[in-house]
Structures are given as structure tokens and as C-alpha cells.
Amino acid sequence: MDVKLEKPLANVGVATVQPTKRNAERQIVTYWIISTIIGVPILYDWLLSWNVPATLSQPWLVFYLIVSLALGQTLYILVARHGGRPIHWGALSIFAIGNGIAETFAFAAVYRVGAIIGAAVVGSFAPGAASFAGFVLGLIFFMIYGGLIHALFWMHVLPPHLDDNPRSQRIRKYRPLAEVALVLGWGLCFWLFEDIWTVIVLHTIVDIGLMLLVRPAIFGAKEAPTGDRH
């Protein structure tokens, strides 16, 4: 979500802010509903399986997941700004849990569709490579979808929140690499163990970070007083 830092807004009243908040909330909830309606039928067998122990049994994968998560969050901490908006724990809980679950359905469904197509195509002439080909195409689908949903949806729903000073711009150049590293780890959970629940937990942690750092005025959270915006 590479957008410019929010500029001070003078004389913004409740009448101006509240419709925007309601519209953002409607869009987010609609996105969650659509993701769930589409994702659950595609992922029903994954959702009914508890494969977290399989992921946790692989120390190298656990280490990679922790490091990639920490890297992404560290870079986000260095560039994200909340514009003086206060933390709202209710909004944080609603968004982190709701988006952590629903958007993971979308991510996993897109990955699985790509994996099925990749495995089917390559499996027709190279059965031994079918599984890996599915993983690669699933990752590609995942990354394309992730980029599009952030550019076309989240950049418009969330307030501008990335610092635009020269130091932050240098740091922001590395964020796409961190995002790719994160997607790779989540894709490995999908490919190796069909483990969606670990990814849901990790995604929820990412969204907790977003709500602590950005603090969008949604689900009961308030905009900053005009004098506190910076």
C-alpha cells in the first residue's frame, strides 16, 4: 500500500468524515463476504483439516515464517504513520480477526486455483513435476492477486499512511521483497501441508500490526482531532 502520507486537513467535520467511514466499512465487509463465499467451497477440505502440527514439525519452515514476518513488520514500522489517530481496541479486534480470516480465504483460493491449473497442465506431459509446477503457478496467482487487491482496493479504503520523506522512500524500496518473502512462506504452508490455519494466524498478526501502526477510522475508531494530524 504505497501511498503518500496524509496531509493536514482543515475544518473537517463529522458530517464529512462519517460517510467516508461508513463507505469504507461497507466495502471492507463486502470484500470479506465475497472472499468467504468464494473461498470456503474451494478450501472446504483444508478448512476441515488441522495441519498446523505438520508445519510446526519443520523447524526450518517455522524459522522462515517468523523471520519473513518480522522483516515485513519491521519495514512497515519504519515507514507507516497513523496521522495522530488513536488506537481503538475494538476496531483492531474486528479488523484483525475479520480480515485475517476472510482475506486468507481469498489468498488461499487464488493460490489453489493456480496450483490446480499448473499441476494439470504440466502433469499432462511431465507428471513428476506436476506438484512443483502447481506450487509455482499458485504462487504467481497469489502474488498477482495480492498486488492487485492492494493497489485497486486497500489503497483506496485505508487512509494515506506511508511516510514520504527520503529515508522512508529508500526503505520502501525493500518492502516488495519482504512481501514476496512472506508470500513464499505462506505458499509453502499451502503446498507442503495444505495448512491454511497457520497462515490465518500469521495474517491476523500482520493485520494487528496494521491497526496499531495505521489506525484507520473504521469499526468505531475515530479520526484524529484536526490539531493532532501530522
Side-chain angles (χ1 to χ4, degrees):
M1 287 170 271
D2 199 16
V3 292
K4 293 184 178 180
L5 181 66
E6 187 173 12
K7 300 289 193 301
L9 298 176
N11 302 318
V12 178
V14 173
T16 302
V17 173
Q18 289 301 319
T20 302
K21 288 175 56 178
R22 289 197 296 269
N23 186 51
E25 291 166 1
R26 284 197 298 267
Q27 291 182 58
I28 292 169
V29 172
T30 299
Y31 174 51
W32 291 349
I33 292 172
I34 293 172
S35 297
T36 302
I37 291 173
I38 294 175
V40 169
I42 296 174
L43 304 165
Y44 72 94
D45 52 334
W46 290 12
L47 293 168
L48 295 177
S49 300
W50 182 252
N51 295 328
V52 174
T55 297
L56 297 181
S57 70
Q58 304 297 319
W60 66 271
L61 180 54
V62 173
F63 177 77
Y64 181 86
L65 292 170
I66 292 173
V67 170
S68 61
L69 177 65
L71 174 63
Q73 291 302 289
T74 299
L75 293 179
Y76 203 41
I77 288 170
L78 292 174
V79 300
R81 300 292 180 266
H82 51 71
R85 290 179 292 273
I87 294 175
H88 188 286
W89 297 107
L92 183 152
S93 301
I94 292 170
F95 184 84
I97 295 172
N99 200 61
I101 294 172
E103 190 169 51
T104 302
F105 289 168
F107 287 163
V110 168
Y111 166 86
R112 195 172 196 186
V113 169
I116 291 171
I117 294 172
V121 171
V122 174
S124 63
F125 60 86
S131 178
F132 183 70
F135 169 63
V136 171
L137 190 61
L139 276 184
I140 292 172
F141 275 35
F142 188 166
M143 288 187 284
I144 291 173
Y145 176 79
L148 289 175
I149 198 65
H150 282 83
L152 301 178
F153 180 70
W154 289 117
M155 281 181 63
H156 302 284
V157 172
L158 297 178
H161 60 274
L162 295 184
D163 202 341
D164 209 25
N165 65 45
R167 171 182 170 275
S168 293
Q169 288 197 9
R170 290 193 298 270
I171 294 172
R172 282 161 54 177
K173 293 178 182 179
Y174 297 100
R175 292 192 64 238
L177 297 177
E179 295 296 324
V180 169
L182 198 70
V183 168
L184 176 59
W186 295 5
L188 286 169
C189 291
F190 296 152
W191 179 44
L192 296 175
F193 306 116
E194 298 182 349
D195 176 15
I196 190 173
W197 292 106
T198 293
V199 178
I200 285 175
V201 171
L202 294 171
H203 195 173
T204 300
I205 293 172
V206 169
D207 288 330
I208 290 172
L210 183 149
M211 291 300 290
L212 289 173
L213 296 169
V214 179
R215 309 176 191 178
I218 53 175
F219 302 120
K222 304 298 183 183
E223 283 285 357
T226 302
D228 291 344
R229 297 178 185 228
H230 55 81

